[in-house]
Amino acid sequence: MLKTFRKPNIGKTVVYAIAVNALQIVALLFFVVYVFWMDFSWQNRLSLRAIAVIGALVAGWGAVLDIQEALATRRRMRTIAELQTVNRQMDALNLKLRAQRHDFLNHLQVVYSLMEMGEYQDATNYLETVYSQLHAVSRVLRTKVTAFNALLQVKNAECEQRSIALELDVRSTLEGIAMPAWELCCVIGNLLDNAMDAAAQAQEPRISLSVSESLREFAFTIRNNGAAIPADLRERIFEPGFSTKGENRGMGLAIVRRRLEEYGGRLLLESGDEATVFTVFLPHGNGLAPKTK
């Protein structure tokens, strides 16, 4: 009989390691203070102090290294999760394109047969149906960033499932953008998810994404027709941990702002009765590394 193993909780392990090592540092510091301030009567007091100091330095150094490694592991796990999401999006786009290529010959055969039989109106109607299907995919294939194209395809499908009208206006190939593709997908994907959640509360949910480019930077504008964000919350929503959706839901916008700042970008928010608009600005940079880490 095969044994089943539970998937390790990396987040819990990291927090536990940090807490234990921090407690170890505090205990060692307390011991050092105790040794220095207590009045021992034996003659080896100096040696005891030296041993205590050396032991505290070694143990403290090891604990600090453990904490740094735990934090680095948490960052790696977050990066891996984001890359897995991008890969799934690219797989979905690839399957869609393969399906269209497979069906293309069949469509030609149907149209050819209808024209041979003189059913020109039926052929026209059939072509219009096929064109609408092709247009749904081709409108997201307007950039040279494959991962971003895949993201748009996945979000387009999600909007269709949730009966949300999605308008795309892509007027840039995104060639030379400063942010790596997978991080760009993390930022824009997060904002699109928030826009879908907000628009879903409207009677006729609608969101739009426009992508443009100037001589200095790229601009991404995400608009939704959901309820306005109250004025007193428009800055708090960017604070780590803050959320109006319950626990463990408040890191999205904080991560978005931090990622943008690392690559020299910025994020603007406008919200009113008619629409809420997030605008992302990212400079040209040919994939430059972030300014800060």
Side-chain angles (χ1 to χ4, degrees), residues 54-89:
I54 294 173
L57 290 175
V58 173
W61 175 68
V64 170
L65 290 181
D66 287 343
I67 292 176
Q68 291 178 341
E69 184 61 28
L71 293 174
T73 300
R74 185 165 61 181
R75 289 193 296 269
R76 294 188 196 106
M77 293 302 299
R78 186 184 64 195
T79 300
I80 290 172
E82 293 169 352
L83 288 172
Q84 289 174 338
T85 299
V86 173
N87 286 335
R88 287 194 296 269
Q89 294 168 348

Side-chain angles (χ1 to χ4, degrees), residues 5-117:
F5 297 91
R6 292 184 301 174
K7 183 178 179 181
N9 189 329
I10 301 297
K12 184 178 181 180
T13 302
V14 169
V15 172
Y16 178 79
I18 293 175
V20 170
N21 282 281
L23 182 62
Q24 181 181 2
I25 293 175
V26 172
L28 288 171
L29 290 175
F30 177 80
F31 178 73
V32 171
V33 172
Y34 174 81
V35 170
F36 268 92
W37 286 95
M38 290 299 295
D39 186 18
F40 294 97
S41 59
W42 58 83
Q43 297 179 352
N44 293 329
R45 183 172 54 188
L46 183 61
S47 299
L48 180 61
R49 290 179 175 177
I51 293 173
V53 171
I54 294 173
L57 290 175
V58 173
W61 175 68
V64 170
L65 290 181
D66 287 343
I67 292 176
Q68 291 178 341
E69 184 61 28
L71 293 174
T73 300
R74 185 165 61 181
R75 289 193 296 269
R76 294 188 196 106
M77 293 302 299
R78 186 184 64 195
T79 300
I80 290 172
E82 293 169 352
L83 288 172
Q84 289 174 338
T85 299
V86 173
N87 286 335
R88 287 194 296 269
Q89 294 168 348
M90 294 182 69
D91 287 342
L93 178 61
N94 183 52
L95 289 174
K96 188 74 172 181
L97 293 175
R98 289 178 62 185
Q100 285 196 346
R101 184 182 63 179
H102 180 267
D103 293 340
F104 184 69
L105 181 59
N106 293 332
H107 292 320
L108 287 179
Q109 291 174 343
V110 171
V111 172
Y112 181 77
S113 298
L114 289 173
M115 294 182 68
E116 264 196 335
M117 294 185 296

